[in-house]
């Protein structure tokens, strides 16, 4: 679990509560879900942070939450954002693996040592969480005064356009896009640009050079990856890239995201104006990361300024030709019912109380009008006025990336109320636990199989293509039992366990193979789990319980296994038919479909000698397998 | 992240099996399964 280092002096200063000692702060933070973990060597307190609240990855965000909790702030706060001056031009050459960029200009920052440490920590923690180790999103923060984005003649143009009334925003991209199309790559002559521009583009690994942070050497991007410690660390992120992401200003290359920034734009405690850029594989993710950084800097008294992000019409990704104004600090709305809040938390609340608790979570809740149910309306007036039938429309600020569902809003109300204040109580009704119908069926089938002389097995659900397909003479993607497409494990631990098994017979044969030195007859069965890919399923994966049985003895035949299957069908009062079929794991002419109550559900037959020889089995094997659910009532 | 009730581990304690694979998976030894004393 990620840990955030908090300088409690900073926290006292940012919350405005000098009177709180460390123990009180610990207790208050515990109430928010931030648990004290220990102390750093420098005397900062470490808190394990709830991984959903990415806005609390730095002292600024934690202070904001506390101010809400203390009642110093209430409701949604949106930082003031000044008009745009800077533009990020996205060229068509940007690597298609990393097509998206976002950014903001921050002015009037007062970075003392603590504030700079906090900013660096926030950046690192966001990289580790939302940014998925910089692969999905990476943050670059630069000293704006070191960037040169405009030329003299353009400065004059800026002066002119500022006096004109604002052009409708929708017209701007057309003009810019059009100009860009006709321009040479690199935007050398963007005559209608209204402000300084930096460009995001792709460069060849050896295509240009710059001096990276913590280095004195001019290095190419490839050189950074080979020679610079940070470059070596993040080389994997860009390993598959043909061209490397690069950000340019008028003076040239100054950043190689997601790996390292240039030394020229390094941020120090002397920096007063910042340029924040983020690149990534998903616009939403980097925009949310940017919102969190902007909120943190705003809390330090900085002013946020918009940046125009202009995508080339031929830029890769699905933002081609778009003109975005960033940072995006729009709020969202979600609806939650009063009833839901009360039943989830188990307490009764007045509507004013709920609205107050929302406000103390930094959210705005409006009671939604005209939402009474017909029952409430037809009931007496006093009934209709009851809060149970009401819903709240809740406004959510942009840093709250964790709010996905009305339950998350109920959670906030509960925290603001104080989970420690909730009284434990027994549920109103008591029931006795019992087995699910699914388990009862499984158990009944197992018992029946054991009664027929099978030994019950419990095999692994994970298998490998070699076991599941190749050694069964079945091909993946064919229309036979076991031939369904595999659900594969990403980064499998062992090559023996790379996929979920599509059927259970391979497992049974494997047990027979491992027990050739044991007494015969060996009659094995299993009721177990199988899965395969299925486009029509919600998750893309279809899961089944399967019933498999195998008889290995000197005289095992089709009739033996059919007899067992018939007995099972009779016990479960289903109708069994066995029309002839073909299956690569079985001997032709000694194999049949398992059709139960008219539904084709599996296969039975004599296992092909090729499979037996491969497993060094010296006795014939006959076997069946079919879907468990056909035995259900 | 992985979690579970790990019933097999309790079963190991209960049956005295010293390797989880004696009870679970394709390496199971039929002789062990056949000779394990019934617990009731």
């Amino acid at each position: 679990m990620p840990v955030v280092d908090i300088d409690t002096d900073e926290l006292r200063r940012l919350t405005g509560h000098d009177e709180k000692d460390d123990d009180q702060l610990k207790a208050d933070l515990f109430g928010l879900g931030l648990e004290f973990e220990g102390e750093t060597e420098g005397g900062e307190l470490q808190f394990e942070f709830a991984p959903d609240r990415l806005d609390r990855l730095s002292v600024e965000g934690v202070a904001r939450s506390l101010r809400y909790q203390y009642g110093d702030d209430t409701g949604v706060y949106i930082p003031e954002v000044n008009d745009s001056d800077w533009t990020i031009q996205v060229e068509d050459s940007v690597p298609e693996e990393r097509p998206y960029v976002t950014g903001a200009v921050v002015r009037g920052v007062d970075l003392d040592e603590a504030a700079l440490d906090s900013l660096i920590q926030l950046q690192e923690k966001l990289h580790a969480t939302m940014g998925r180790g910089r692969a999905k999103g990476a943050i670059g923060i630069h000293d704006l005064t070191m960037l040169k984005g405009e030329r003299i003649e353009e400065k004059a143009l800026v002066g002119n356009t500022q006096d004109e009334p604002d052009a409708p925003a929708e017209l701007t991209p057309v003009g810019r896009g059009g100009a860009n199309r006709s321009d040479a790559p690199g935007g050398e002559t963007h005559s209608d640009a209204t402000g300084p521009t930096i460009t995001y583009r792709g460069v060849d690994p050896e295509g240009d050079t710059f001096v990276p942070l913590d280095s004195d050497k001019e290095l190419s991007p490839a050189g950074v990856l080979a020679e610079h410690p940070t470059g070596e660390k993040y080389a994997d992120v860009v390993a598959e890239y043909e061209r490397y992401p690069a950000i340019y200003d008028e003076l040239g290359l100054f950043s190689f995201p997601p790996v390292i920034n240039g030394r020229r734009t390094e941020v120090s405690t002397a920096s007063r104006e910042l340029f924040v850029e983020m690149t990534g594989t998903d616009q939403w993710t980097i925009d949310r990361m940017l919102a969190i950084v902007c909120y943190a800097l705003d809390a330090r008294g900085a002013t946020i300024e918009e940046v125009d992000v202009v995508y080339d019409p031929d830029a890769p990704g699905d933002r081609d030709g778009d003109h975005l104004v960033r940072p995006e600090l729009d709020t969202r709305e979600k609806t939650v019912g009063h009833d839901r809040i009360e039943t989830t938390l188990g307490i009764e609340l007045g509507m004013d109380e709920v609205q107050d608790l929302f406000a103390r979570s930094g959210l705005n809740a409006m009671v939604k009008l005209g939402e009474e149910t017909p029952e409430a309306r037809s009931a007496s007036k006093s009934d209709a006025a009851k809060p149970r039938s009401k819903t709240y429309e809740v406004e959510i600020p942009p840093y709250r990336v964790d709010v996905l569902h009305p339950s998350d809003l109920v959670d906030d109300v509960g925290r603001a109320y104080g989970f420690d204040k909730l009284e434990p109580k027994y549920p109103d009704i008591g029931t006795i636990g019992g087995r699910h119908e699914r388990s009862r069926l499984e158990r009944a089938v197992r018992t029946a199989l054991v009664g027929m002389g099978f030994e019950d097995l419990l095999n692994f659900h994970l298998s490998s293509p070699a076991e599941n397909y190749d050694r069964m003479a079945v091909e993946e993607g064919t229309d036979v039992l076991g031939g369904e497409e595999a659900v594969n494990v990403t980064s499998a631990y062992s090559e023996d366990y790379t996929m979920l098994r599509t059927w259970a017979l391979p497992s049974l044969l494997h047990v027979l193979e491992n027990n050739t030195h044991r007494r015969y007859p060996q009659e094995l069965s299993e009721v177990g789990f199988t899965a395969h890919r299925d486009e029509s399923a919600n998750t893309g994966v279809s899961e089944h319980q399967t019933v498999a049985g195998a008889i290995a003895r000197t005289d095992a035949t089709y009739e033996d296994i059919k007899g067992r299957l018939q007995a099972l069908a009779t016990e479960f009062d289903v109708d069994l038919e066995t029309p002839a079929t073909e299956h690569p794991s079985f001997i032709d002419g000694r194999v049949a479909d398992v059709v139960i109550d008219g539904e084709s559900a599996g296969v039975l037959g004599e296992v092909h000698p090729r499979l037996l020889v491969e497993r060094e089995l010296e006795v014939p094997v006959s076997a069946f397998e079919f879907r468990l659910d056909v035995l259900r009532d | 992240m992985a979690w579970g009730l790990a019933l097999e581990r309790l079963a190991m304690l209960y049956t005295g099996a010293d390797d989880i694979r004696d009870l679970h998976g394709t390496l199971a030894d039929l002789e062990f399964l056949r000779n394990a004393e019934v617990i009731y």
Side-chain angles (χ1 to χ4, degrees):
Chain A
M1 212 71 89
V3 167
V4 194
D5 302 342
I6 303 276
D7 178 339
T8 41
D9 290 334
E10 281 278 289
L11 192 58
R12 274 186 279 270
R13 203 174 58 72
L14 286 164
T15 52
H17 283 271
D18 286 337
E19 81 288 356
K20 296 263 182 192
D21 64 22
D22 283 9
D23 286 336
Q24 277 173 298
L25 286 174
K26 276 184 215 168
D28 294 342
L29 289 174
F30 186 78
L32 291 179
L34 291 151
E35 200 166 341
F36 176 68
E37 273 278 306
E39 271 182 48
T40 63
E41 282 173 17
E44 292 181 318
L45 302 190
Q46 294 184 303
F47 292 89
E48 189 177 84
F49 100 112
D52 55 334
R53 289 298 297 265
L54 298 168
D55 58 304
R56 291 180 183 157
L57 284 170
S58 69
V59 66
E60 295 87 357
V62 173
R64 177 176 52 241
S65 292
L66 278 180
R67 286 182 59 79
Y68 279 126
Q69 186 68 20
Y70 296 152
D72 300 331
D73 289 329
T74 54
V76 172
Y77 167 73
I78 307 287
E80 198 179 323
V81 180
N82 292 340
D83 283 350
S84 116
D85 183 23
W86 285 74
T87 298
I88 302 175
Q89 186 80 43
V90 186
E91 294 191 355
D92 57 2
S93 65
V94 298
E96 58 189 35
E97 298 90 344
R98 202 172 188 84
Y100 306 112
V101 65
T102 191
V105 165
V106 183
R107 296 194 196 266
V109 284
D110 182 12
L111 287 177
D112 55 15
E113 207 64 56
L116 186 59
D117 283 351
S118 172
L119 184 60
I120 291 168
Q121 175 175 233
L122 177 61
Q123 185 180 354
E124 281 174 1
K125 302 287 176 191
L126 280 173
H127 277 156
T129 51
M130 270 195 110
R132 300 282 186 273
R134 300 195 188 184
K136 197 172 181 191
I139 306 166
I141 303 179
H142 309 272
D143 189 330
L144 183 71
T145 51
M146 300 310 290
L147 287 176
K148 190 170 173 351
E150 63 193 308
R151 293 180 306 172
I152 315 284
E153 57 267 37
E154 282 171 2
K155 251 184 194 153
L157 192 68
V158 175
N160 289 339
T161 49
Q162 271 174 349
D163 295 334
E164 291 170 10
D166 284 344
E170 289 305 312
L171 289 179
T172 322
V174 180
R176 289 220 176 138
N180 193 66
R181 248 193 303 274
S182 57
D183 281 354
E188 288 299 314
T189 55
H190 40 302
S191 56
D192 61 346
T194 52
T197 299
I198 66 166
T199 54
Y200 177 38
R201 64 177 74 147
V203 291
D204 289 333
E206 297 286 359
D208 205 343
T209 59
F210 71 119
V211 181
L213 286 173
D214 306 320
S215 171
D216 298 321
K217 255 168 100 179
E218 283 269 343
L219 290 171
S220 65
V224 168
L225 299 184
E227 291 177 34
H228 195 287
T230 312
E232 287 169 23
K233 193 169 167 194
Y234 292 100
D236 283 353
V237 179
V238 292
E240 306 288 316
Y241 290 26
E242 247 175 65
R243 286 186 309 280
Y244 289 151
I247 307 182
Y248 280 74
D249 68 349
E250 286 288 315
L251 302 177
L253 178 62
F254 70 91
S255 179
F256 169 27
V259 180
I260 199 162
N261 291 338
R263 206 177 68 172
R264 167 158 62 93
T265 61
E266 182 172 6
V267 175
S268 71
T269 49
S271 303
R272 291 290 168 268
E273 303 192 327
L274 305 179
F275 190 91
V276 183
E277 52 61 26
M278 305 199 185
T279 61
T281 57
D282 176 52
Q283 186 79 46
W284 184 91
T285 302
I286 55 175
D287 282 339
R288 295 291 83 72
M289 288 165 76
L290 182 64
I292 290 169
V293 171
C294 284
Y295 266 84
L297 288 164
D298 176 78
R300 296 258 176 204
T303 314
I304 312 296
E305 206 169 275
E306 282 171 354
V307 165
D308 287 322
V309 180
V310 180
Y311 283 92
D312 185 274
D314 297 320
D318 52 19
R319 289 291 181 173
D320 45 318
D322 281 2
H323 175 195
L324 314 175
V325 179
R326 290 295 183 265
E328 190 181 45
L329 302 180
D330 301 339
T331 58
R332 292 175 294 142
E333 273 173 8
K334 279 210 179 294
T335 305
V336 62
H338 187 93
D339 188 34
R340 179 170 199 153
I341 296 171
E342 286 195 337
T343 39
T344 309
L345 297 178
I347 46 173
E348 281 185 23
L349 293 165
M351 283 160 64
D352 289 352
E353 246 178 309
V354 171
Q355 282 180 295
D356 177 55
L357 291 169
F358 272 125
R360 282 179 47 203
S361 311
L363 307 168
N364 290 345
M366 303 284 288
V367 178
K368 228 170 152 185
L369 298 173
E371 286 290 312
E372 289 99 345
T373 54
E375 293 79 12
R377 236 180 285 131
S378 62
S380 74
K381 261 215 162 105
S382 62
D383 261 9
K386 274 192 175 170
R388 282 204 153 255
S389 59
K390 297 287 185 184
T391 59
Y392 303 92
E393 201 153 273
V394 184
E395 188 182 8
I396 302 152
Y399 59 83
R400 287 297 303 276
V401 291
D402 59 302
V403 180
L404 306 172
H405 189 272
S407 297
D408 299 318
L409 299 173
V410 179
D411 182 33
D412 270 26
V413 172
R415 267 167 217 261
Y417 180 86
F419 280 133
D420 49 342
K421 287 192 208 138
L422 298 179
E423 301 267 341
K425 61 182 181 191
Y426 283 101
D428 292 341
I429 46 157
T431 55
I432 299 167
R435 282 178 200 282
H436 193 275
E437 192 259 340
R438 196 175 53 215
S439 311
R440 281 190 281 125
L441 176 62
E442 261 182 57
R443 179 172 264 216
V445 174
R446 273 205 191 97
T447 309
L449 289 167
V450 169
M452 289 170 200
F454 285 108
E455 294 184 70
D456 190 32
L457 296 179
L458 178 64
N459 282 308
F460 299 138
H461 302 158
L462 289 173
S463 182
S464 65
E467 280 297 322
N468 191 79
Y469 300 119
D470 303 346
R471 298 187 75 214
M472 300 299 291
V474 166
E475 263 183 63
E476 182 173 6
T478 50
D479 187 24
V480 294
L481 186 73
E484 297 88 353
E485 276 184 76
V487 180
N488 292 305
V489 178
T490 312
S491 310
Y493 170 74
S494 155
E495 64 177 17
D496 292 334
Y497 304 110
T498 63
M499 59 173 280
L500 287 169
R501 64 180 183 180
T502 60
W503 57 331
L505 264 188
S507 309
L508 294 190
L509 291 183
H510 204 177
V511 176
L512 289 176
E513 179 179 10
N514 289 333
N515 283 281
T516 50
H517 57 305
R518 295 306 183 196
R519 254 185 307 124
Y520 283 96
Q522 293 176 4
E523 303 183 349
L524 310 177
S525 69
E526 179 169 7
V527 180
F529 171 90
T530 64
H532 60 263
R533 287 229 290 268
D534 180 356
E535 293 293 328
S536 66
N538 220 350
T539 53
V541 174
S542 194
E543 299 175 12
H544 293 289
Q545 292 297 112
T546 192
V547 187
I551 298 177
R553 62 172 195 235
T554 50
D555 56 353
T557 63
Y558 174 85
E559 286 72 24
D560 293 308
I561 200 72
K562 164 86 192 282
R564 300 289 180 89
L565 187 57
Q566 182 61 63
L568 191 64
T570 308
E571 288 197 11
F572 282 82
D573 193 23
V574 292
D575 180 40
L576 173 69
E577 289 169 83
T578 51
T581 187
E582 285 178 6
H583 191 291
S585 306
F586 296 90
I587 303 171
D588 276 351
R590 308 294 292 169
V591 55
D593 251 339
V594 175
V595 178
I596 290 180
D597 284 344
E599 194 181 341
S600 173
V603 68
L604 85 158
E606 293 177 11
V607 176
H608 202 284
R610 267 198 327 265
L611 275 60
L612 303 181
V613 168
E614 158 140 7
R615 289 168 176 78
E616 294 180 9
L617 291 175
E618 291 174 355
V619 292
V621 176
S622 55
F624 67 77
E625 174 161 355
F626 63 96
R627 281 201 334 266
L628 173 68
D629 57 9
V630 295
L631 294 181
R632 193 166 285 160
D633 276 340
Chain B
M1 201 185 299
W3 63 276
L5 191 55
L7 268 180
E8 296 88 346
R9 284 167 212 278
L10 290 178
M12 282 169 69
L13 289 173
Y14 204 55
T15 59
D18 54 11
D19 188 325
I20 202 164
R21 287 166 295 191
D22 290 343
L23 300 174
H24 189 175
T26 48
L27 288 174
D29 184 346
L30 288 179
E31 204 61 21
F32 174 84
L33 296 179
R34 284 167 176 171
N35 294 331
E37 192 184 335
V38 169
I39 299 167
Y40 58 95

